[in-house]
């Protein structure tokens, strides 16, 4: 993407901003070769979330659910962070803004692998597994190496499951509370690669907008919040985010 020119009004807000929250979804990892969930070619276009991503599905067919997450784990492990992940890490590590928080719905771990540090994983992580009875946590890769066709059994007799948040499950309280707090005090709220349709995560956009944040949306497709965006970049994240980060750095 060529050099991004920001309006004088936005430049002014960027100059004064002290805190930035970046909010990401599956679209930020699309150019790393990972499928999104919705839209053309999305996972939920091909598979039924009720059969794969709910506690009921795990009770009904733990082998099927475990094999599917083992497949997603391998995909994430084989993927590499793309320019969007790297640009967001740069924005944090170069301390372009005094406060930077990355709130992600993704479980793939690519933001951390890109170097991001202050990451809030709203929907958990596919890199960990925990016992569905005693909660004992372990490395997902080791668990899959032990048993790839069915969930390994814990010493307490429970079954290990991926440490992701399934539909119908609550988000980790502390993580969501911190994300809401950061969103409520954000001067800039950057939403990247999310359909903004899954709650309570999508509600963070409303929290930030209501608190007066400058709202920037990066998504080739419109979302229910596009009309509220102060700046909308209808382009792939791998192109738009590096250009945006350059522009933000230039105007600080
Ligand atoms: N760059 C930026 N955005 C992209 C790109 C790209 N290269 N490719 C696709 N997108 C956009 C799509 O237009 C879509 O709006 O990414 C969005 C992905 O939306 P979803 O598939 O709905 O993913 P997400 O918003 O992260 O889903 C939220 O739903 O299934 C659950 O727990 C899962 O965390 C997930 C949650």
């Amino acid at each position: 993407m060529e050099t991004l020119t920001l309006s004088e009004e936005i430049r002014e807000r960027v100059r004064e901003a002290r805190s930035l929250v970046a909010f990401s979804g599956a679209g930020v990892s699309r150019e790393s070769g990972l499928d999104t969930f919705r839209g053309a070619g999305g996972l939920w276009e091909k598979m039924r979330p009720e059969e794969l991503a709910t506690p009921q599905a795990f009770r009904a067919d733990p082998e099927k659910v475990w094999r599917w997450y083992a497949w997603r784990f391998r995909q994430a492990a084989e993927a590499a962070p793309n320019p969007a992940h790297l640009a967001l890490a740069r924005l944090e590590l170069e301390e372009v803004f005094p406060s930077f928080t990355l709130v992600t719905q993704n479980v793939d771990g690519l933001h951390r692998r890109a170097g991001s540090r202050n990451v809030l994983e709203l929907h958990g992580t596919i890199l960990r597994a925990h016992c569905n009875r005693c909660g004992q946590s372990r490395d997902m890769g080791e668990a899959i190496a032990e048993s790839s066709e069915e969930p390994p059994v814990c010493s307490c007799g429970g079954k290990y499951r991926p440490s992701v948040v399934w539909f119908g499950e609550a988000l980790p309280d502390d993580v969501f509370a911190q994300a809401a707090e950061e969103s409520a005090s954000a001067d800039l709220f950057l939403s990247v690669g999310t359909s903004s349709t899954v709650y309570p995560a999508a509600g963070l956009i409303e929290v930030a907008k209501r608190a007066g944040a400058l709202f920037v949306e990066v998504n080739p497709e419109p979302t229910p919040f596009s009309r509220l965006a102060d700046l909308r970049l209808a382009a792939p994240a791998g192109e738009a985010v590096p250009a945006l980060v350059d522009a933000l750095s230039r105007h600080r």
Side-chain angles (χ1 to χ4, degrees):
M1 181 179 242
E2 71 280 354
T3 303
L4 194 58
T5 307
L6 303 177
S7 70
E8 179 44 39
E9 190 222 337
I10 290 184
R11 285 207 297 264
E12 186 55 34
R13 304 233 352 228
V14 169
R15 272 193 289 272
E16 288 162 9
R18 302 200 53 73
S19 63
L20 185 146
V21 169
F23 176 59
S24 73
V28 79
S29 296
R30 186 71 201 83
E31 292 150 272
S32 295
L34 300 183
D35 291 330
T36 59
F37 296 96
R38 296 167 191 84
L43 291 168
W44 300 148
E45 305 288 306
K46 301 171 269 191
M47 305 162 200
R48 295 168 49 80
E50 306 80 53
E51 293 173 10
L52 292 164
T54 63
Q56 297 81 356
F58 189 65
R59 269 196 300 280
D61 192 343
E63 293 77 19
K64 179 178 180 176
V65 172
W66 183 257
R67 285 197 297 268
W68 190 65
Y69 279 95
W71 168 73
R72 290 189 57 202
F73 173 85
R74 291 189 196 98
Q75 283 218 310
E78 286 154 20
N82 66 55
H85 297 106
L86 298 167
L88 290 171
R90 197 171 77 233
L91 196 54
E92 178 187 1
L93 302 178
E94 293 178 1
E95 298 180 353
V96 177
F97 295 91
S99 167
F100 178 98
T101 306
L102 203 161
V103 178
T104 189
Q105 298 167 87
N106 300 345
V107 299
D108 57 32
L110 290 180
H111 282 301
R112 287 193 199 283
R113 281 172 52 197
S116 290
R117 297 196 189 121
N118 190 17
V119 181
L120 299 174
E121 293 169 320
L122 294 179
H123 295 160
T125 174
I126 204 167
L127 306 186
R128 301 293 299 174
H130 66 274
C131 170
N132 68 347
R133 188 182 291 176
C134 72
Q136 175 77 29
S137 178
R138 65 183 296 187
D139 178 85
M140 181 70 165
E142 283 169 19
I144 293 168
E146 180 188 323
S147 169
S148 59
E149 295 307 307
E150 60 188 2
V153 177
C154 175
S155 53
C156 78
K159 287 188 175 68
Y160 278 93
R161 52 156 289 174
S163 298
V164 299
V165 177
W166 282 330
F167 290 103
E169 293 187 319
L171 275 57
D173 278 344
D174 53 339
V175 177
F176 187 73
Q178 203 186 333
E181 199 183 307
E182 297 294 343
S183 300
S185 60
D187 298 311
L188 266 75
F189 190 92
L190 167 55
S191 175
V192 182
T194 177
S195 59
S196 310
T197 56
V198 176
Y199 284 77
L204 295 172
I205 303 171
E206 289 158 350
V207 169
K209 196 64 192 169
R210 214 176 301 126
L214 181 82
F215 173 42
V216 179
E217 185 182 68
V218 176
N219 193 324
E221 304 295 327
T223 76
F225 291 92
S226 297
R227 60 188 168 74
L228 299 177
D230 300 291
L231 175 64
R232 203 180 113 65
L233 303 176
E239 291 171 26
V241 176
L244 179 65
V245 166
D246 289 347
L248 294 176
S249 308
R250 225 176 24 249
H251 295 298
R252 285 292 293 175

